[in-house]
């Protein structure tokens, strides 16, 4: 026993533990850089689309024109929901959190796949594309139902970003809105071995099916330290209400040991490159939509936090402006996490598949510090 105790290494939070070699994503947290399959997110958000980036993540290279067309056509064909899935969504309480609806519906999708457990890599990618294609339809359908409106079926010819905005509002978005949504989705598409990707990888390592894998990812995304952070960051901006209140808010929050949402990251110990892109878009959107005050409040919170935390490796992350951007696009706050999930499917899948290429069941240990050899006392003999 004592020999084991001496060799124990408890890595809480699995910080700095590598679970595999990977060619999918590099988060360079020291130099503020992020690469998907070798391409910078700056280049991808400037030139690519959500679909093309999904192809890149899943297949490891940018597609030819014909390959991309085939890929997009396949996604388009998978978008409509089975009647049973729509019925399931209708059966849930309208007060449900949309992430819970998404989690339930994605799990149920497996029941409509005649062969959910086929496990060739090609079959896994195909199932993942079904999920990726249907997630926006599920989220938009629930949002309309809870607003006493009929769900709108997907429209042929629109990409993933435009289709989502269309199915939410019933209006085809302008090119500008579509581009903003597309960029935000690309920035959420992949981020190495974060909590939700790890959850997917653990499930994949048991050789579970893609529906179980993606459902695991949604579950892990549910918490405010991961997927829920942009909702919380936006709520903070709304609560603070005006740039002039930012300093008081930040001073009090930090004095009470509260975390400023949208700040800090396990890997970035400097600026998150996604934050820079979204902040710039936020400034432009604020002008266009007349929400300059809201944007100025977010900037004031950011500046105040940076002043207070100067010297600490805590910088704004992707969530400091992503919620604001979604809000200015007219998207309800509780849809931010589902949007994160629908954007992350290709990343979750790419990592699960990469892990499966040389699979080893993920099974860490706990270091037992409890008692052993206790004598069992029948319940009637225990003290009350
Ligand atoms: N506000 C204030 N202080 C912070 C913050 C923050 N946002 N983040 C970290 N700190 C402080 C902690 O209080 C701690 O201080 P202490 O050493 O005096 O106790 C120190 O920084 C280290 O904190 P850890 O929690 O150990 O750092 P970790 O690397 O685990 O944190 C995390 C990462 C969980 C993201 C954290 O920064 C946080 O809670 N941020 C707020 C939530 C958030 O924005 N999440 C989104 C992350 S990005 C994503 O998931 C897409």
């Amino acid at each position: 026993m004592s020999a084991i105790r001496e060799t124990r290494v408890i890595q809480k939070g699995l910080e700095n533990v590598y679970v595999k070699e990977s060619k999918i994503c590099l988060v360079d947290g020291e130099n503020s850089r992020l690469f998907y399959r070798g391409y910078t997110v700056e280049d991808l958000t400037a030139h690519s689309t959500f679909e093309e980036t999904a192809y890149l993540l899943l297949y490891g290279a940018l597609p030819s024109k014909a390959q991309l067309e085939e890929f997009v056509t396949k996604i388009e064909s998978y978008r409509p929901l089975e009647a049973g899935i729509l019925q399931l969504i209708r059966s849930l309480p309208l007060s449900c959190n949309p992430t819970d609806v998404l989690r339930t519906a994605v799990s149920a999708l497996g029941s409509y796949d005649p062969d959910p457990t086929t496990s060739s890599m090609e079959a896994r990618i195909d199932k993942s594309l079904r999920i990726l294609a249907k997630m926006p339809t599920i989220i938009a359908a629930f949002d309309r139902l809870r607003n006493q409106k009929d769900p709108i079926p997907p429209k042929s010819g629109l990409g993933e970003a435009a289709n989502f905005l269309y199915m939410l509002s019933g209006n085809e978005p302008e090119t500008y809105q579509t581009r903003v949504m597309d960029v935000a989705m690309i920035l959420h598409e992949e981020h190495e071995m974060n909590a939700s990707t790890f959850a997917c990888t653990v499930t994949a390592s048991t050789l579970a099916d893609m529906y179980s894998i993606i459902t695991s990812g949604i579950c892990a995304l549910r918490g405010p330290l991961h997927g829920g952070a942009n909702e919380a960051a936006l709520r903070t901006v709304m609560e603070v209400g005006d740039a002039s209140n930012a300093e008081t808010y930040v001073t009090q929050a930090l004095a009470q040991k509260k975390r400023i949402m949208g700040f800090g990251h396990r890997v970035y110990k400097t600026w998150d490159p996604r934050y820079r892109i979204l902040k710039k878009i936020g400034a432009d959107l604020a002008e266009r939509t007349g929400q300059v005050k809201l944007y100025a409040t977010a900037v004031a919170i950011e500046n105040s936090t940076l002043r207070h935390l100067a010297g600490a490796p805590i910088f704004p992350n992707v969530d400091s402006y992503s919620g604001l951007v979604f809000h200015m696009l007219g998207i309800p706050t509780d849809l931010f996490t589902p949007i994160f999930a629908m954007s992350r499917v290709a990343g979750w899948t790419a990592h699960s598949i990469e892990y499966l290429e040389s699979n080893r069941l993920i099974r860490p240990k706990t270091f037992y510090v409890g008692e052993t050899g206790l004598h069992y006392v029948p319940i009637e003999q225990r003290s009350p």
Side-chain angles (χ1 to χ4, degrees), residues 146-175:
R146 70 179 175 169
N147 287 300
Q148 287 77 47
K149 293 177 184 161
D150 285 330
I152 297 177
K155 188 168 195 165
S156 157
L158 294 183
E160 194 87 340
N163 227 318
F164 177 64
L165 295 174
Y166 164 72
M167 290 186 292
L168 271 184
S169 69
N171 302 316
E172 264 191 53
E174 291 164 11
T175 312

Side-chain angles (χ1 to χ4, degrees), residues 224-226 229 254 258-266 269 309 314 317-319 340:
L225 295 187
H226 190 16
L254 292 177
K258 284 192 190 154
R259 290 185 177 213
I260 311 295
M261 287 294 153
F263 278 78
H265 199 275
R266 180 61 63 76
K269 298 305 169 195
L309 298 178
I314 301 171
N317 60 47
V318 62
D319 292 322
F340 190 157

Side-chain angles (χ1 to χ4, degrees), residues 208-286:
D209 63 280
M210 283 317 295
Y211 299 94
S212 303
I213 291 171
I214 303 298
T215 305
S216 305
I218 301 171
C219 294
L221 206 56
R222 180 73 166 90
L225 295 187
H226 190 16
N230 57 3
E231 293 184 28
L234 177 68
R235 288 201 174 96
T236 302
V237 176
M238 301 267 198
E239 257 170 60
V240 171
D242 191 278
S244 61
N245 302 328
E247 180 64 17
T248 310
Y249 169 80
V250 173
T251 309
Q252 287 177 356
L254 292 177
Q256 293 163 13
K257 298 269 172 221
K258 284 192 190 154
R259 290 185 177 213
I260 311 295
M261 287 294 153
F263 278 78
H265 199 275
R266 180 61 63 76
V267 184
Y268 291 117
K269 298 305 169 195
T270 179
W271 308 92
D272 180 335
R274 303 168 298 176
Y275 139 86
R276 278 208 205 89
I277 297 169
L278 286 167
K279 184 177 177 184
K280 215 161 140 202
I281 291 176
D284 191 39
L285 251 180

